[in-house]
Amino acid sequence: SRYYREVFPGEIVKISRHDVQTLDVVQRPGGDPPAFCIFEYVYFARPDSIFEDQMVYSVRRRCGQQLAIEAPVEADLVSTVPESATPAALGYAQKCGLPYVEVLCKNRYVGRTFIQPNMRLRQLGVAKKFGVLSDNFKGKRVVIIDDSIVRGNTISPIIKLLRESGAKEVHIRVASPPIRFPCYMGINIPTKEELIANRPEFHDLANYIGADSVVYLSVEGLVSSVQESIKATQNNPKTQKSSTGKIGHCTACLTGDYPVELEW
């Protein structure tokens, strides 16, 4: 029978036709906790992935709930840009007691082959990529949940599209903290200068992207959303988990606190 599980940090595994054997587990030097990439939970991983015994979808929903606690807003409905931030938007809506309503739908007839690599067609990209469900939000105050704003140039045309289609207000809530630092652990994050959080426009980001307001999830809020379920599992006597297992996540791109010494 097939058996899938995570390979633990530092674990050396031998897979044969007979079984799966752990040959060794290399501990982090100095007894440091693991440093699992927190952005896997926010953005990179598929929602049905399971890391550290928890489903990514559930973590994203918790991030949305936490965002609602940290950044509520007077509004009529909650939505998202389809569809990576849907779990967070559902969590936000549930916590705020607002309806989750679709405001955009993906245009399935636009394949990448039709998008030519020139600026004019890229600007048309948003209008081609999404259909506007204007009946759902005309004259209403809309909260759009996004999973991350990296450069800030993707969300602007979407806000413009919603306003032109009748949205009364457009508030942006981001279910992760601002990315400020480069990743030296293998994730291709844009240069420091390209990151909107490091640019002067960030000080008036709502005006820059055309929103009524913009609020990001705090680093503490993200970490607690990710770790809450892990801690609960570890402290549950019914689960055969060792409560001494250390929890650790890399937040370097958000905080500049790298899990290893950078040698250059």
Side-chain angles (χ1 to χ4, degrees):
S1 67
R2 292 184 178 183
Y3 170 66
Y4 297 103
R5 69 160 173 82
E6 280 183 87
V7 176
F8 303 113
E11 184 183 14
I12 301 166
V13 175
K14 178 187 174 187
I15 302 171
S16 71
R17 69 176 72 180
H18 306 296
D19 61 2
V20 177
Q21 284 180 301
T22 299
L23 299 183
D24 197 7
V25 178
V26 181
Q27 299 297 332
R28 284 199 67 200
D32 289 342
F36 184 87
C37 171
I38 209 156
F39 235 70
E40 286 279 6
Y41 284 110
V42 170
Y43 185 78
F44 295 115
R46 272 174 37 161
D48 60 339
S49 302
I50 293 175
F51 299 133
E52 303 174 301
D53 285 332
Q54 57 184 347
M55 189 172 278
V56 169
Y57 186 101
S58 304
V59 173
R60 289 177 184 167
R61 190 175 56 213
R62 282 203 300 274
C63 287
Q65 291 170 336
Q66 179 62 26
L67 186 58
I69 294 166
E70 293 182 14
V73 62
E74 288 284 318
D76 302 303
L77 61 97
V78 176
S79 197
T80 186
V81 181
E83 56 241 358
S84 56
T86 302
L90 288 165
Y92 188 97
Q94 179 193 6
K95 198 76 176 172
C96 284
L98 290 170
Y100 172 81
V101 179
E102 291 177 307
V103 298
L104 299 168
C105 62
K106 270 194 167 173
N107 182 351
R108 67 184 66 189
Y109 304 109
V110 177
R112 288 181 184 172
T113 43
F114 298 110
I115 302 288
Q116 299 304 315
N118 67 53
M119 197 57 200
R120 176 80 187 111
L121 280 175
R122 269 208 295 276
Q123 285 166 342
L124 287 171
V126 167
K128 282 176 140 194
K129 197 173 176 181
F130 297 109
V132 184
L133 304 172
S134 49
D135 280 4
N136 289 357
F137 63 86
K138 211 170 269 182
K140 293 183 176 170
R141 300 165 298 175
V142 181
V143 186
I144 296 289
I145 309 296
D146 207 347
D147 48 20
S148 60
I149 296 179
V150 180
R151 290 187 179 89
N153 53 12
T154 310
I155 194 77
S156 295
I158 287 165
I159 296 167
K160 188 165 179 275
L161 194 62
L162 294 174
R163 286 198 192 281
E164 286 169 356
S165 304
K168 186 177 172 188
E169 293 175 13
V170 182
H171 298 273
I172 303 296
R173 294 292 179 271
V174 191
S176 65
I179 300 178
R180 298 175 186 274
F181 299 91
C183 175
Y184 300 111
M185 267 62 76
I187 299 298
N188 188 15
I189 284 176
T191 60
K192 241 181 168 176
E193 295 70 39
E194 287 178 273
L195 295 168
I196 191 71
N198 294 328
R199 296 178 66 86
E201 295 90 341
F202 190 69
H203 300 296
D204 190 7
L205 184 57
N207 185 47
Y208 178 68
I209 65 174
D212 289 278
S213 69
V214 182
V215 186
Y216 285 80
L217 183 63
S218 67
V219 175
E220 300 73 31
L222 172 61
V223 171
S224 69
S225 300
V226 167
Q227 295 187 353
E228 178 188 310
S229 174
I230 304 171
K231 286 177 176 169
T233 306
Q234 284 192 348
N235 296 330
N236 184 350
K238 290 180 184 171
T239 58
Q240 301 300 306
K241 293 271 170 192
S242 153
S243 58
T244 57
K246 289 184 177 176
I247 306 169
H249 294 89
C250 179
T251 60
C253 61
L254 314 172
T255 60
D257 183 13
Y258 292 92
V260 290
E261 288 288 316
L262 300 175
E263 296 177 6
W264 62 75

